[in-house]
Amino acid sequence: MYGLVNKAIEQMVRGAHGPEMWERIKADADIDAEGFISNQPYPDEMTYRLVAAASSALDTPQEDILRAFGEHWVLHTALESYGPMMRATGKTLREFLQKLPHLHTRVELIYPNLQPPEFACHEISDTELDFHYWTKRPAGLEPFVEGLLYGLGKMFATPVRVELRQDRADGHDFSVFRVSWNKTD
Amino acid sequence: MRATATNEIGIPGSAIDEVFPFHVAIDEQLQVVQVGTAMARIAPELAVGTALVKSLLLRRPHGQLTIQTISNSYDQPFLFEVRESGVRLRGQFLRVPDGIWFYLGSPWFNSAAEIEAAGLSLADYPAHDPMAELLMIGQTQQIALNDLHEVNEHLERQREAVKRTERIYRDAIAAADAVAYHANTRSDRFEFIDAGISHLTGHNADEMTPSLLQSFFVETKEIGYRGNDAASGRPATRRSDHRIRAKDGSERWLSEASVEVLDTDGRATGVVGILEDITERKDKEAERERLSVELDTILRLSPQGFAAFDERGLLSYCNPSFEEMTGIPRTRLKGVQLNDLDDIFSALSDEEPVFTSFVDLAEDDSDEIAITRPRRRTFTRSLRRMQSATDAHSGWVLFMRDVTREREIDRMKSEFLSIAAHELRTPMTSVRGFAELLLSNEYDQAMTREIAETIHRQSTLLVHIVNGLLDIARIEAGQGEDFVYERHNLHDLVQQTVDSLHIPGDSRKVQVSLTPGDAPIILADAKKMIQAMTNVLSNAYKYSPDGGEIALTILRHARNGRAEVAIQVSDAGIGMDETEVNRLFERFYRADPSGAIPGTGLGMSLVREIVELHDGTIEVDSKRGLGTNVTVILPEATQPDNLATAGATR
């Protein structure tokens, strides 16, 4: 993964638990890098170790860590780094989710070594849709995607409910989240 | 007009606006004929029918905007600036039929913030326009640049910290009078070495190499070594002490602590370490060791018991004598509490303990304890508090002295004085009493003579007692120093003894049986030996008042590889039971408690003193009513060389 991801984890831990906790997690994850460069690729293994160490140090399940990280990714990392791009992707949650594949097309051009996930939306009704998620990475990142969806809900001031209806962990090719929200207009 | 222009290129007006929302079309007179919707938002004055240059200022190429300029630079990018807002446009002219030129451009911004400030969003750009991607790349690079700055700042802080630490270490090393180095073992050179090395070796630091430094080492003692751990990447460490000989021949001791330097592949490329001059410490250690050995030897040889206890009262050291006194091996005594010694000594006594408990034994106080196992012994104990000058070490030292013999001698002296006084008082009382009778009464001649004879007899006994005591005292005091040891024919000595023996009122002759062949030769003080044999023979006569043979037999035998000669005196007298035999050599002991047999009770005591000073022994075999055999066993001086040997042992 690109350094941006590890840096986001660092930012989240530092912001919520202080620099000492980050140093401890980094040490537990056996990482001695003094900082991450956002556009430099790092081994996925390093990110997984950070998540595992954070889970242990904060005595929090890895799923909760990933969920919180998903929200943080949208509301801080993505918005602070690529706000205009995010805003240009859609004016509503629905529009954003529908155009998310286009956003990743652009991201892939900028980060050539990226293995971006693929998403697809299937309309269910005015206030709900099924959000399909493919990735080449091992199963287990679903809570992160769930956190992303909650974060986007907050970004568009549209609180969402997210339900994992199909999980790659069960042998499926892709996972399916049912995303629903209240009608606002 | 707008419809006309788009119709000319065969693209519906709505379609070209979707693909090129920032377009503007002009005719040959440079009049605007069509404006894209997004272009109209950033340049509101750019209306159809107005001159292009009224709203847009040509920036590139240089010069006046004319149709000719546009034609000549047809395949070149044209940069315009919206006069009203300053927004820059980048695009290209496209000529369509009927003299219409399309300027297909898009506003150029350096950041997303500028786009928003211009009232636009990235959504206003068409999908084919790379502006969003360019901005993202720029943003990504900016973020990466910020990251680099951040990392750089972090590294800078670390570098400062390392510099501070280095300064601290350097100061510490300088304060410790130590030399730090970094040796490159591959190239055999020092990447760094303190100039102080020249003081230690007398060799210039600039020319010093690792192998040269090693050539100064004349002795190395490895103190500790820990190998590298490939798994964790931990390098090997080593601690050594080196004796070095400097250029000027002077010797010093250096302590070296070093650690390997590993490259990224974990291979050792060098060593960093610190050399410290520990000559003074080594000298002190050697002195301390010498003192320790001396003290240990003294304590090991000392018959007195010593035990040291630490500040918690736990035994930290005891010498062999202390071990022997307690009967407990040192290994078990180590760590024993001072107060627990009470139990140890109590267990060694069958009697009620009479010593002071260590709890009550005041510091710098002494007492005396008695034990009964394995044998009755008496010790004095002294407890001393020890405190070093710096108060760093404290504890106690217990000093124990075996006073068993002293106490026994004291007891024997008292007993002896009591007995001697009693033995002297009996004849003295008699002498005094009879003398008083003579002084206070008138007796006839016969009675007077009888009294005088009694006084004479009793005073003679007194003289014998006193002489006997003086003989014993002299022999004990001199320990044979005044004896004149010479080679003597034992047969001659026996004959002299028998010939000079005169027992008043007893006509028996001693039946002498000499050894066959050559007479045994003994190394002896003739006078003393004759005195001893006389005493033994005299007793044989005295204690066989009813007659019977008195025999003196000389026998030869060897015992424990030593040639010995035995002088056995036998009588058929009153004999003794076992208890009496055991007390035979006590001073003033008399086998005849009735007092009918004259004697001082000192004779056999004197015999034993004399025989033992001749390296001999004495054995007594007696049966009540059957008689007594007294055997004096002496070493035989068979070779003249034995003279010196025998004499030397005394």
Side-chain angles (χ1 to χ4, degrees), chain A residues 7-185:
Chain A
K7 206 170 163 57
I9 296 176
E10 175 182 351
Q11 224 176 24
M12 181 179 78
V13 172
R14 278 181 186 276
H17 304 283
E20 288 82 11
M21 177 57 81
W22 167 247
E23 291 302 326
R24 181 185 156 187
I25 289 170
K26 205 168 64 146
D28 289 351
D30 199 22
I31 293 170
D32 58 3
E34 294 305 336
F36 302 104
I37 308 298
S38 296
N39 64 347
Q40 183 183 321
Y42 293 86
D44 284 5
E45 178 60 25
M46 186 183 274
T47 309
Y48 296 144
R49 285 208 310 271
L50 278 175
V51 171
S55 166
S56 174
L58 300 171
D59 194 21
T60 306
Q62 284 200 28
E63 290 77 11
D64 291 351
I65 298 280
L66 285 169
R67 214 168 276 121
F69 180 47
E71 268 199 53
H72 180 89
W73 177 263
V74 170
L75 297 175
H76 296 277
T77 311
L79 270 180
E80 285 167 14
S81 303
Y82 301 106
M85 185 69 74
M86 293 282 282
R87 284 188 288 277
T89 303
K91 289 186 171 61
T92 65
L93 174 67
R94 177 190 296 280
E95 188 187 354
F96 188 93
L97 292 176
Q98 284 167 338
K99 287 190 176 175
L100 200 53
H102 306 311
L103 179 64
H104 278 105
T105 303
R106 286 175 157 167
V107 169
E108 201 169 347
L109 287 172
I110 300 157
Y111 294 102
N113 295 317
L114 192 71
Q115 291 184 329
E118 289 180 38
F119 299 108
C121 286
H122 292 262
E123 300 286 343
I124 304 294
S125 71
D126 285 353
T127 57
E128 61 184 345
L129 56 80
D130 275 349
F131 189 69
H132 293 204
Y133 160 58
W134 287 265
T135 182
K136 291 174 183 170
R137 294 196 162 81
L141 291 172
E142 276 67 15
F144 174 67
V145 177
E146 197 182 327
L148 290 176
L149 291 167
Y150 284 121
L152 288 170
K154 286 180 181 174
M155 176 181 157
F156 289 102
T158 308
V160 294
R161 293 176 294 282
V162 180
E163 182 194 352
L164 179 61
R165 304 191 69 152
Q166 179 177 303
D167 193 347
R168 286 186 306 137
D170 297 329
H172 298 286
D173 289 341
F174 59 94
S175 295
V176 178
F177 297 88
R178 173 67 53 87
V179 186
S180 54
W181 59 92
N182 293 331
K183 197 169 175 114
T184 50
D185 53 352

Side-chain angles (χ1 to χ4, degrees), chain B residues 224-260:
Chain B
Y225 174 77
R226 192 181 67 179
N228 62 13
D229 180 12
S232 66
R234 189 190 63 205
T237 58
R238 187 187 298 274
R239 290 190 70 89
S240 314
D241 286 352
H242 307 286
R243 186 160 59 88
I244 67 160
R245 188 171 294 129
K247 258 183 161 179
D248 62 2
S250 63
E251 291 198 348
R252 289 170 184 269
W253 275 97
L254 299 184
S255 166
E256 181 181 30
S258 62
V259 59
E260 272 183 350

